[in-house]
Amino acid sequence: MGSKLKNIGLISLGVIAGIGASIQFDAIAQKSAAAPLPLEELRQLADIFGLIKSDYVEPADDKKLLTEAISGMVASLDPHSAYLDKKAYKELRESTQGKFVGLGIEVGMEDGYIKVVSPIEDSPAYRAGIKAGDLITRLDATPVKGLTLEQAVKRMRGEPNTKITLTISRKEEDKPLIFNITRQEIRVQSVKGKVVEPGYAWLRVTQFQEPTVDDMAKKIAAIYAQEPNLKGLVLDLRNDPGGVLPGAIGVSAAFLPKDAVVVTTNGQLPSSKASFYAKREYYANPGNDPLARLPEALKKVPMVVLVNTGSASASEIVAGALQDYKRATIMGTQTFGKGSVQSVIALPPDRNTAVKLTTARYYTPNGRSIQAKGIVPDVMVDEYADGDGLNGLRLREADLTKHLSNDTDKGPEIKASKVDELEEAQNIAAAEKKRKPLEFGSKDDFQLAQALNQLKGLPVQVSKVKPENRSEAEKDAKPSKDDKPAPADGAIIKKDEPKDEKK
């Protein structure tokens, strides 16, 4: 497309957070040898602060000025770092538990308007009929043009059961569309699953939350109770924006060999150089291992993992690990490419505010960086039999302004938008308008049908889009069971807790 989304937020979380950060909650870092402060630049900041206080047309609030300065400084780093005020920090913590108040839409900024990236399944926005690609032009009576993404997000926040009117511009519609939506506490169903036909099951993770591993174990147990001789399993991570890291480790551990490396991280701090293993202490509380109750056959059942451009962060960790160990065939389209770690660091004195700071990059067990590249499927399959639909128009990490680079891939970063001509984009949008919304896991789910064909050894209708080439070494390499990096200090989710208290 001619213009790309410049930033991205998640209205359901109420935080300008980027897509699906795999989040770690840390205590504030105390460095013994801090870098010297740039005194000249700090003097300049103080001079500007004084100038605003003395010369601005009306009195300026000290706290507001300094808070905005902090917010701008952190946001300038990359699309996923942010200062969290008291309300935003509270909402972020609640969201990891699978509940939050909001509309339920992923949004970004495009040409001064708010663009809907995707409505979240079963959310108020989803039920109201909001679609991916919609442009929000008004919030109640306020035009969106001229607002920052953060300002627009704040206007869409609110208390449960309060209403907001969205004015929507939708391609191929002659007139604006008006939606009256009631804000609600959204409880995301983290795991879904069913036996789709004799011998074959479908398991979907919509978002990685604190209850995800327990919910997945219960769903798998129910599937095996119905189909004890399972011949194949489809793990569906499409449109899964990520979430908490322990959820990704636990889902991976259910299918990988015991104690296998799931993901490694590397950053500036010694504590950011860590390895995470398929061990109970990395995904569950002491005394509780939900995976221990799963049938042993699960480790060997043939698998296909479905991914698309909306699969990000924790989803990419799972797909990358299962691909490196050749445990599953990855199918679909290239993922989002969000391969960075965000540490949420509570700030003194009251610890009710925080900074969400990018502190490391994620690497698959074979050492591949996920950042700005994502996971390239083993088998490329479009969303529909006649093409990839709107999925091919969605942005990826490499499209975001100030995104981190991929430090292990020497080739050019692949941009997400394959369609650069407006006319072609409009043609796709027009075709999508005539198509009924896709329900993942339904009989009309083309990619699921192809995944089942793959498991049965039947022909698969592959995409005409060529996958990005991976080296033969990458394709053939498999981590040795005896060649595991040693755990680094700080490879825990909460640094102020004992090592066996990971959550």
Side-chain angles (χ1 to χ4, degrees):
M1 290 187 296
S3 59
K4 296 205 170 55
L5 297 170
K6 299 303 181 185
N7 205 340
I8 189 158
L10 192 56
I11 299 304
S12 57
L13 303 188
V15 181
I16 307 301
I19 284 185
S22 289
I23 297 167
Q24 302 186 58
F25 291 89
D26 295 347
I28 190 166
Q30 300 291 337
K31 293 187 179 180
S32 57
L37 295 174
L39 296 180
E40 185 173 337
E41 287 78 9
L42 288 173
R43 287 194 193 97
Q44 187 177 46
L45 177 63
D47 289 343
I48 294 171
F49 179 86
L51 186 65
I52 294 172
K53 293 290 292 181
S54 62
D55 290 20
Y56 188 62
V57 64
E58 57 186 32
D61 179 72
D62 290 355
K63 185 175 181 179
K64 182 177 184 298
L65 283 176
L66 293 172
T67 298
E68 292 293 337
I70 293 169
S71 180
M73 177 173 59
V74 178
S76 71
L77 299 171
D78 65 69
H80 306 297
S81 294
Y83 170 74
L84 307 178
D85 61 19
K86 185 176 181 179
K87 183 177 180 183
Y89 185 30
K90 178 176 178 288
E91 288 174 341
L92 179 62
R93 284 179 292 180
E94 288 176 349
S95 73
T96 65
Q97 299 169 0
K99 62 180 182 179
F100 40 80
V101 175
L103 305 181
I105 47 177
E106 297 171 23
V107 298
M109 183 70 78
E110 180 178 271
D111 294 334
Y113 295 106
I114 301 299
K115 184 170 185 177
V116 177
V117 176
S118 177
I120 295 176
E121 293 178 40
D122 302 325
S123 68
Y126 182 89
R127 292 192 295 269
I130 300 295
K131 296 182 178 181
D134 286 348
L135 289 179
I136 303 174
T137 59
R138 282 181 178 268
L139 301 170
D140 289 328
T142 304
V144 169
K145 198 81 170 180
L147 297 179
T148 65
L149 182 62
E150 183 175 7
Q151 289 169 336
V153 168
K154 286 182 178 179
R155 288 179 180 271
M156 285 187 269
R157 297 174 188 170
E159 297 300 317
N161 301 318
T162 59
K163 293 185 178 181
I164 185 170
T165 300
L166 304 186
T167 303
I168 297 289
S169 173
R170 183 176 291 169
K171 289 179 180 178
E172 306 305 320
E173 292 285 353
D174 297 331
K175 297 179 180 179
L177 304 176
I178 307 298
F179 294 87
N180 295 306
I181 304 177
T182 301
R183 302 177 181 94
Q184 294 179 1
E185 181 177 272
I186 301 168
R187 292 180 179 269
V188 177
Q189 185 179 350
S190 177
V191 181
K192 302 176 181 180
K194 61 183 178 180
V195 175
V196 290
E197 59 181 76
Y200 297 92
W202 170 77
L203 183 71
R204 173 160 173 74
V205 181
T206 60
Q207 189 175 339
F208 290 87
Q209 304 163 348
E210 290 179 7
T212 294
V213 181
D214 283 283
D215 292 347
M216 179 193 67
K218 292 174 184 176
K219 187 62 66 176
I220 291 174
I223 288 172
Y224 268 96
Q226 181 181 347
E227 186 60 71
N229 298 314
L230 201 62
K231 299 176 183 177
L233 176 67
V234 178
L235 176 61
D236 191 348
L237 301 179
R238 291 172 294 177
N239 286 0
D240 183 332
V244 295
L245 180 58
I249 297 171
V251 170
S252 302
F255 308 105
L256 291 178
K258 184 180 178 182
D259 300 343
V261 176
V262 175
V263 66
T264 62
T265 62
N266 189 32
Q268 187 175 185
L269 289 171
S271 60
S272 68
K273 305 177 192 303
S275 298
F276 297 84
Y277 297 91
K279 296 181 179 180
R280 190 273 310 158
E281 56 263 35
Y282 288 91
Y283 60 80
N285 292 326
N288 172 43
D289 186 358
L291 303 186
R293 301 186 293 271
L294 296 179
E296 188 63 31
L298 186 66
K299 296 283 187 180
K300 296 182 180 179
V301 65
M303 286 182 66
V304 169
V305 178
L306 287 175
V307 295
N308 66 2
T309 308
S311 305
S313 195
S315 302
E316 297 173 291
I317 289 173
V318 175
L322 295 179
Q323 187 179 56
D324 278 6
Y325 285 97
K326 302 186 186 301
R327 176 62 186 87
T329 299
I330 312 302
M331 180 179 288
T333 54
Q334 190 170 349
T335 62
F336 184 79
K338 198 276 179 183
S340 57
V341 183
Q342 277 66 54
S343 295
V344 180
I345 305 167
L347 299 175
D350 57 9
R351 301 179 66 82
N352 287 326
T353 59
V355 169
K356 182 162 68 69
L357 195 65
T358 300
T359 55
R361 289 181 176 89
Y362 282 120
Y363 303 85
T364 70
N366 281 350
R368 294 182 290 149
S369 174
I370 296 169
Q371 177 61 22
K373 180 177 179 181
I375 301 300
V376 180
D378 302 305
V379 181
M380 298 286 283
V381 174
D382 290 332
E383 193 167 47
Y384 302 98
D386 58 354
D388 208 26
L390 290 174
N391 184 61
L393 300 178
R394 296 178 71 175
L395 87 167
R396 294 180 59 245
E397 176 80 9
D399 293 321
L400 300 180
T401 303
K402 299 179 182 177
H403 68 270
L404 288 179
S405 63
N406 185 299
D407 60 330
T408 63
D409 184 25
K410 296 181 180 179
E413 291 175 0
I414 306 299
K415 299 294 183 181
S417 302
K418 305 296 189 296
V419 181
D420 294 320
E421 297 296 331
L422 180 60
E423 182 178 353
E424 189 173 355
Q426 289 174 335
N427 290 338
I428 291 175
E432 290 302 300
K433 179 184 174 184
K434 300 175 184 177
R435 205 193 306 266
K436 67 178 183 180
L438 172 63
E439 180 185 349
F440 292 145
S442 70
K443 60 181 179 60
D444 298 321
D445 188 340
F446 175 74
Q447 288 178 320
L448 175 58
Q450 301 312 301
L452 292 172
N453 285 346
Q454 175 77 20
L455 290 169
K456 297 173 185 176
L458 299 175
V460 172
Q461 183 177 324
V462 299
S463 172
K464 294 178 182 179
V465 177
K466 298 294 183 183
E468 183 182 345
N469 290 328
R470 289 182 287 127
S471 69
E472 291 303 314
E474 270 189 320
K475 293 177 183 178
D476 297 335
K478 180 176 180 180
S480 167
K481 198 170 184 181
D482 300 323
D483 186 21
K484 302 174 184 175
D489 292 337
I492 56 177
I493 302 310
K494 292 190 177 181
K495 294 183 180 177
D496 52 351
E497 293 183 356
K499 191 167 184 178
D500 61 353
E501 294 285 336
K502 298 183 183 67
K503 297 182 179 178

